[in-house]
Structure formats: C-alpha cells, structure tokens
Amino acid sequence: MKAWRFHGTNQPLTLEDVPEPRAGEGEVVVAVKAAGVCHSDVSALDDPGWMPLFSRTPMTLGHENAGVLVEVGKGMEHWKVGERVGLAPVMPDGDAIGYGKWDGGFGPRIRATDANLVRLPDEVGFDLGAMATDAGLTSYRAMVTVGGAAKGRKVGVIGLGGLGYIGARIAVLLGAEVYAAEASPETRKQADEIGLAGVAESISEFKDEDLELIVDYAGFGSTTAAAVETLAESGTLVQVGMGRLEATVGTYPIIVNQLTIKGSKSGTREDLEALYALMRSGELKPPMDLITPAMIPDALDRLRKGDVTGRLVAVYED
C-alpha cells in the first residue's frame, strides 16, 4: 500500500510503498476512512525537539483516525470485522499512534489495540470521528473531565479556534451558561452558532458574571492572567493552550479567591467514548476542511502558513 512516510526533521513526507499491516496477538487492523491533519504533524517535521518521540524512522504520521475493522487478531474476538471505530491516540506502551513505533493514518491501514479502540456510533461520520480523537478529545477532557462543566454552571472559554469552538459547544450542549473571549472579530461572529451567552475580546469583560470555570484554549500569557483576575471565588482555571510557554499572573486573586489552577492535555479512551455519545445528537459539528490523502503535504504547508479554517481531515475513498 502507499503511505506518507516521515524520515526526520526538515525532511518532506514521501509517498512510499509499504507492506500492509497484519494483526498480531492482541491487535486489529483498521481500514482508515478519515485521518486528521494536525499542527503537531508540522511540529514533528520542523522541530528537532520532537525527534525523541520517534523510536524509529521512517514511519507513517497521522494520529487522528477513524475507520472500519478489516482484521481481528488472536485474543481480540470481542471485536468484529466491519465495526466502525475511532482510535484514541495513546497506546499501552506509552507511545501514541502516529508517533513512537505505531504507524499512523497517513496510510490506508493501521494496527490498533484494545487500549485505543472506541466504537464509533453510526450517527457520527468518519470525518467527525477522526477529528474527535485529538482536537475533540483535548477539548472535551479540559472542559468536562478536568473542568467539570455541567448543567447550570457558568463557564468561560478563551479562544474560539479549533479547540475552543469545540469546548464551548460541548459546554453549551451540557447545559452550561457559556461566555467566550476571542481576539478575532470575524470569529466572534460564531457566537450564535455555538450558543454563547456572551462573547468579547477579553474574558475580563465578564468579571461580573461570576464565572466558576474558565478554560484557556489560547494560552498567550495575558489570557491566563486575565482568567485569574476574572474567576469567581473558589473558581477553577484549566490551562490547555500553549501560545506562550509562560505567564505572569497575580497571586492576590489566587489566594484571596482560593482559586484552583489545573493543566490538561489530550484525553483517554473513556473521554472519547463520552464525546462520541455526545456527538450522536448531531449538534456538535465544528468547521472542517475535507481533503484527499494526496493533499496531505499541501495541507501541512497550509497549516505552517496559518491558511486554514476549521480542522483539516483527509478522507479515504471506499
């Protein structure tokens, strides 16, 4: 089969013939129907600091995947050929699919295990199913598993890009009252589409709303500081975004308002199951840009240039 192969930092992906994977004991083979293209893939190609994540090269990138089971190995008889699945990226040995030693979805077949297989409901398309395994998973875990967003809570969201859009919409669907901060006037126009109670350039404009939870999906330092100043007493800040890797925050509100600050990244198989259940309603449809697998290198260039609206997803034809 043909797959886009990663050879190392500052080297382009190359389309190569590779053997089709076979299911070993405790494994299945998935025919990839959709594979997301993520800015992390750009970082892996451009930043030498990512090389320790790869136990071998060449390998096939692609950590956002959904598809159909085509082979079931020994000990995996509880799975059936033909089942629709999404693949949580974390593997049992600490690797992630599309990194380490596990080839990813920039090729039409991949191996998977019980650790990352999640049944994909019929109501959820493969494109959404793939997007959910990274952008959706990260958004959901920060907002719900770590942040505790729920019906009746007042929630703030900083940044309405790929992750923030999803996180805000999840909170709305769960019944929270959601206020968002977004620097882009054009992006702020999505307020009604998401179901926001309010949107502004800075989260500090909602200081009088007594926000119990703020999730910062931007992480530009100043956004983190504004969240600390805005939270209600006993409120929680969940930090996800890493637009800057440091922030200067006021300790006075942390102490006086007894705030809690948490970090959140990626998510678990259980988080993905919960997200898929929420997606069954059809009311969580973040913007996506569907491409063909042949367009993956071009999609990576678009991400480098910031020339992307919505999540890029490569769709494999039947």
Side-chain angles (χ1 to χ4, degrees), residues 232-311:
E233 187 171 358
S234 300
T236 298
L237 165 64
V238 179
Q239 191 65 43
V240 182
M242 295 190 295
R244 299 287 183 274
L245 297 184
E246 59 183 24
T248 300
V249 301
T251 55
Y252 181 82
I254 295 174
I255 298 165
V256 172
N257 292 328
Q258 302 181 89
L259 304 181
T260 299
I261 300 176
K262 301 179 178 180
S264 182
K265 67 172 186 176
S266 191
T268 66
R269 183 175 177 274
E270 290 73 24
D271 292 326
L272 186 57
E273 288 175 339
L275 178 57
Y276 280 162
L278 191 63
M279 284 180 156
R280 293 181 69 175
S281 68
E283 296 183 273
L284 179 56
K285 293 183 177 179
M288 289 190 294
D289 187 346
L290 303 184
I291 62 172
T292 67
M295 298 166 66
I296 286 173
D298 178 65
L300 292 166
D301 283 337
R302 289 173 57 194
L303 283 171
R304 283 190 185 94
K305 298 172 185 175
D307 182 26
V308 175
T309 300
R311 298 293 291 188

Side-chain angles (χ1 to χ4, degrees), residues 67-265:
V68 175
L69 297 184
V70 291
E71 184 183 355
V72 174
K74 183 178 179 181
M76 296 290 282
E77 291 79 11
H78 47 288
W79 293 96
K80 304 298 180 187
V81 169
E83 285 193 276
R84 307 170 81 248
V85 294
L87 284 77
V90 178
M91 303 301 284
D93 48 15
D95 279 340
I97 202 162
Y99 297 102
K101 65 182 182 182
W102 296 85
D103 284 323
F106 290 176
R109 297 282 191 276
I110 51 178
R111 292 158 50 234
T113 76
D114 267 331
N116 69 322
L117 286 168
V118 177
R119 287 181 172 87
L120 181 65
D122 290 339
E123 298 90 341
V124 180
F126 290 115
D127 50 358
L128 274 173
M131 178 281 300
T133 64
D134 185 14
L137 190 63
T138 301
S139 301
Y140 180 91
R141 183 171 182 82
M143 181 61 68
V144 182
T145 309
V146 177
K151 184 176 181 179
R153 296 198 75 189
K154 283 194 166 187
V155 174
V157 172
I158 300 177
L160 290 175
L163 296 181
Y165 180 106
I166 299 167
R169 183 61 180 157
I170 286 170
V172 168
L173 291 175
L174 291 174
E177 185 177 322
V178 183
Y179 298 83
E182 169 55 51
S184 166
E186 191 64 29
T187 305
R188 288 200 294 271
K189 294 178 182 178
Q190 297 175 327
D192 290 341
E193 176 184 322
I194 297 170
L196 300 176
V199 64
E201 187 171 356
S202 172
I203 202 67
S204 60
E205 296 187 39
F206 300 114
K207 187 171 178 60
D208 293 338
E209 296 296 340
D210 294 324
L211 301 180
E212 305 163 69
L213 167 67
I214 296 176
V215 183
D216 183 1
Y217 290 103
F220 284 103
S222 59
T223 59
T224 307
V228 168
E229 297 290 339
T230 302
L231 277 166
E233 187 171 358
S234 300
T236 298
L237 165 64
V238 179
Q239 191 65 43
V240 182
M242 295 190 295
R244 299 287 183 274
L245 297 184
E246 59 183 24
T248 300
V249 301
T251 55
Y252 181 82
I254 295 174
I255 298 165
V256 172
N257 292 328
Q258 302 181 89
L259 304 181
T260 299
I261 300 176
K262 301 179 178 180
S264 182
K265 67 172 186 176

